[in-house]
Amino acid sequence: MKARTREAALTVTAVSTAVALAACGPDAGNDAGGDDAPRIGLLLPDATTDRWEAQDRPLLEAKIEELCADCEVEHANAKGDVAIQQEQMESMITKGVDAIVLVAVDARSLAPAVRKADAADIAVIAYDRLAEGPIAGYVSFDGEEVGRLQGRALLKAMGDRVRGGQIVMMHGDPSDPNADAFKKGALSVLEGTVKIGKEYDTLQWRSETANMNMSSAISALGVDTFHGVYAANDGLAAGSIAALKANKVDPLPPVTGQDAELGAVRRIVGGDQYMTVYKPFRPEASAGAALAVAAARGESFAGIATDTVRTAGDGEVPAVLLTPVSVTVATIEDTLVKDGVYTIQQICASGLEAACAEAGLT
Ligand code: GAL
């Protein structure tokens, strides 16, 4: 039998009844309806950042299917709304899924729902973002290292402009604990080395907000007075670059990013964005899937989680911590193309053929 995926309903009242499947594990957990096939809830945070639906979701679903053909995955996306994600957690608990893979929209606000899941004996695996409350496991990257990679790359791209140079910083959403780690890592490299002309947090990681903030920064600082833009991810980079262009900032200053979105890789080849941080999606999704399947079957994480992490409540949970990679035009082929994330054809289509040839991407 194939693993199956269903859209989870947004509200508790609209929850559909799970279809019984044959059990695939030795201990299929706590299914309420007597259905003993493991069921895994997959709760993603938003559709503003491409990676969740374009990379993480298909990779997680495929790996869960590979590890447990009878497992059923129920997916829902909170569209950046904390209340919606709280309802989705409630819905998963009511259905009695066996494990939940959670990318929290807001780590703190979701803690009561995590406690409720734990009380119902449902393991919550914090995926990419360290959720608060009694989580069972965690998989992610070293967030401060992401910030350091971005900061160092920005200084390298600024070259002679570092001395006496000024930058603008676009940070992520403060309710996402990763945003804080990226900021801390970046500031550890940049603060005291360059002047930070303007600095913004960006609620819900919205590209449009970064666009507005960049325009305000240009009005406040002037068009020619800054020499680099720290953008915490590719969506913020896109919004910032659009504002730089609309305000005729020429030449464009180097702009950082994160997530290795296809659009960002194309901007890097075309010269509009300097770098992105690639957090290999496949190993993260594989670890997330392995933790979720083990939890759903009531098995231990031995052999999967070799690290531990301290949670907000001071507990220690098993973790898988992976290494982020800085990507510039010179390393696209050795990283993203080599890992099969994108083909050269995808990157170089529609108008980028000449830039790709120049970059040796053929
Ligand atoms: C972070 C995540 C980043 C980025 C961002 C925006 O938590 O680590 O990769 O996607 O959220 O959603």
Side-chain angles (χ1 to χ4, degrees):
M1 200 180 299
K2 303 267 291 170
R4 308 175 328 145
T5 306
R6 292 185 316 185
E7 285 299 314
L10 291 187
T11 62
V12 181
T13 44
V15 166
S16 60
T17 315
V19 180
L21 295 170
C24 81
D27 170 4
N30 50 16
D31 292 336
D35 154 17
D36 51 5
R39 285 178 299 156
I40 297 169
L42 172 57
L43 297 185
L44 299 178
D46 60 64
T48 41
T49 299
D50 286 353
R51 59 166 291 183
W52 307 121
E53 295 292 338
Q55 303 284 346
D56 298 279
R57 179 183 174 189
L59 288 168
L60 277 158
E61 288 173 351
K63 190 68 186 181
I64 290 171
E65 177 172 347
E66 184 192 316
L67 295 172
C68 174
D70 292 338
C71 277
E72 187 178 326
V73 179
E74 301 204 21
H75 152 269
N77 188 309
K79 307 219 158 52
D81 189 319
V82 181
I84 290 179
Q85 196 168 55
Q86 282 162 334
E87 283 173 10
Q88 290 170 341
M89 280 288 285
E90 289 288 341
S91 166
M92 294 293 171
I93 295 166
T94 307
K95 289 179 187 181
V97 297
D98 300 290
I100 297 172
V101 177
L102 171 68
V103 187
V105 173
D106 178 330
R108 186 151 309 157
S109 308
L110 264 298
V114 172
R115 274 195 288 278
K116 199 164 170 187
D118 180 60
D121 219 12
I122 299 169
V124 177
I125 306 300
Y127 185 80
D128 199 82
R129 298 180 181 169
L130 189 56
E132 292 187 17
I135 56 169
Y138 175 55
V139 52
S140 194
F141 291 81
D142 179 342
E144 288 189 31
E145 177 64 7
V146 170
R148 287 191 291 269
L149 291 175
Q150 295 168 319
R152 283 190 214 117
L154 188 59
L155 293 180
K156 183 165 181 216
M158 286 170 68
D160 292 346
R161 312 307 301 261
V162 168
R163 188 183 276 273
Q166 173 165 248
I167 63 165
V168 174
M169 298 188 84
M170 300 293 173
H171 300 295
D173 186 334
S175 57
D176 168 357
N178 286 345
D180 199 46
F182 305 148
K183 185 194 272 191
K184 211 166 152 192
L187 287 175
S188 75
V189 173
L190 297 169
E191 219 168 22
T193 307
V194 283
K195 183 169 177 224
I196 298 163
K198 287 275 170 198
E199 210 177 348
Y200 303 89
D201 288 325
T202 318
L203 287 185
Q204 293 183 20
W205 292 92
R206 282 185 183 279
S207 184
E208 313 84 82
T209 308
N211 184 283
M212 275 169 36
N213 289 339
M214 193 68 236
S215 292
S216 315
I218 295 166
S219 313
L221 301 173
V223 173
D224 301 322
T225 60
F226 56 95
H227 315 98
V229 176
Y230 167 87
N233 83 352
D234 291 335
L236 304 184
S240 302
I241 291 166
L244 292 167
K245 288 187 169 179
N247 286 279
K248 313 245 176 320
V249 177
D250 184 22
L252 286 175
V255 180
T256 65
Q258 173 183 191
D259 285 341
E261 291 186 359
L262 182 57
V265 178
R266 287 174 53 80
R267 283 192 296 276
I268 292 171
V269 173
D272 286 352
Q273 184 171 328
Y274 178 65
M275 63 87 74
T276 187
V277 175
Y278 167 46
K279 300 191 292 191
F281 304 107
R282 192 174 292 277
E284 187 176 22
S286 293
L291 291 174
V293 168
R297 286 172 166 166
E299 295 171 358
S300 89
F301 294 157
I304 307 169
T306 47
D307 301 301
T308 54
V309 79
R310 282 215 158 273
T311 59
D314 247 1
E316 264 201 355
V317 295
V320 178
L321 295 175
L322 302 159
T323 308
V325 183
S326 180
V327 175
T328 61
V329 69
T331 56
I332 290 172
E333 188 154 20
D334 266 358
T335 53
L336 297 162
V337 175
K338 190 168 147 227
D339 281 5
V341 181
Y342 307 119
T343 61
I344 289 185
Q345 285 80 344
Q346 278 175 304
I347 297 168
C348 299
S350 10
L352 276 186
E353 295 81 358
C356 274
E358 207 174 305
L361 286 168
T362 48

